Amino acid sequence: MTDPERLRRYWETTGAGHTFTHPLDAGLLARYVSPDARVLDYGCGYGRLTARLAALGWSRVRGVDVSAALVARGRAEHPGLALEHVAEPPLPYPDGAFDAALLFAVLTCVPGERDQDRTLAELARLLRPGGVLYLSDVPLQDDEEHRARYRAARPWAEVYGTFRIPDGGVFRHQDPARLRERLGALGFEVAEEHRDPVPTLDGRTVTRLQLVARRGPDRP
């Protein structure tokens, strides 16, 4: 099993110094989300994408992250951005407070099944009915190098697809079918899906999965 306290320390120390590389497709977002929408960048890190959205004209963007060190770095690098440290869900916002949310390479940093479920459920709560979730993450990779990394983690990992990088960071690649199932159970309907190659923070290239999903109406 992965030690939650060890994970927390990683993102307050070594992990807080990483340069993130997971790219945003602004055109894809613009097809679903207007510039005046209330947008939450969940797991914003040091505000890289929050800042890009603001520069592109999205005027009501807020970023949140569980790492106090990353949020402090973001405030120093991007003065004036709305960046907030929230140690864990629930966030201090009412139900349906946002029109859209970004979840970019966040689940890969949350290897535990329960913690992933809490993250997705919190986004379902925070998005209004009809709101848009733009999720981009790394699915299970098929090459032998990645399969070897997954196998090496089997003695201690909760879920297949988990692995450790040399600096101590623990990450998890997603089972796409399981991810779609979890979104569906929370009332999301996938509207668009894409795959493309992207760089990783440890200098590799992987295929990513982008999902744009709409939150359904509240159930009676």
Side-chain angles (χ1 to χ4, degrees), residues 28-68:
L28 176 59
L29 180 66
R31 289 204 290 273
Y32 293 89
V33 180
S34 65
D36 63 346
R38 302 164 298 171
V39 180
L40 177 67
D41 183 5
Y42 192 105
C44 67
Y46 53 87
R48 177 180 64 104
L49 296 183
T50 317
R52 182 164 181 224
L53 287 176
L56 290 172
W58 275 274
S59 58
R60 303 169 69 190
V61 184
R62 177 171 292 275
V64 298
D65 201 278
V66 299
S67 168

Side-chain angles (χ1 to χ4, degrees), residues 77-154:
E77 293 184 7
H78 307 289
L81 280 186
L83 302 179
E84 185 172 359
H85 169 238
V86 179
E88 61 181 1
L91 273 62
Y93 309 120
D95 296 358
F98 295 92
D99 303 304
L102 268 60
L103 191 68
F104 262 63
V106 173
L107 295 181
T108 195
C109 302
V110 182
E113 192 82 344
R114 177 176 175 272
D115 291 332
Q116 285 202 0
D117 285 342
R118 288 181 71 195
T119 297
L120 292 171
E122 179 65 354
L123 287 170
R125 181 186 75 81
L126 291 169
L127 284 171
R128 64 168 175 79
V132 172
L133 173 63
Y134 178 8
L135 187 158
S136 183
D137 217 293
V138 181
L140 292 167
Q141 304 291 295
D142 292 331
D143 60 280
E144 178 52 33
E145 182 180 10
H146 279 97
R147 289 197 298 267
R149 295 173 104 186
Y150 305 154
R151 290 194 299 268
R154 275 177 171 159

Side-chain angles (χ1 to χ4, degrees), residues 148-166:
R149 295 173 104 186
Y150 305 154
R151 290 194 299 268
R154 275 177 171 159
W156 54 267
E158 178 185 358
V159 178
Y160 179 76
T162 305
F163 60 96
R164 181 176 284 124
I165 65 174

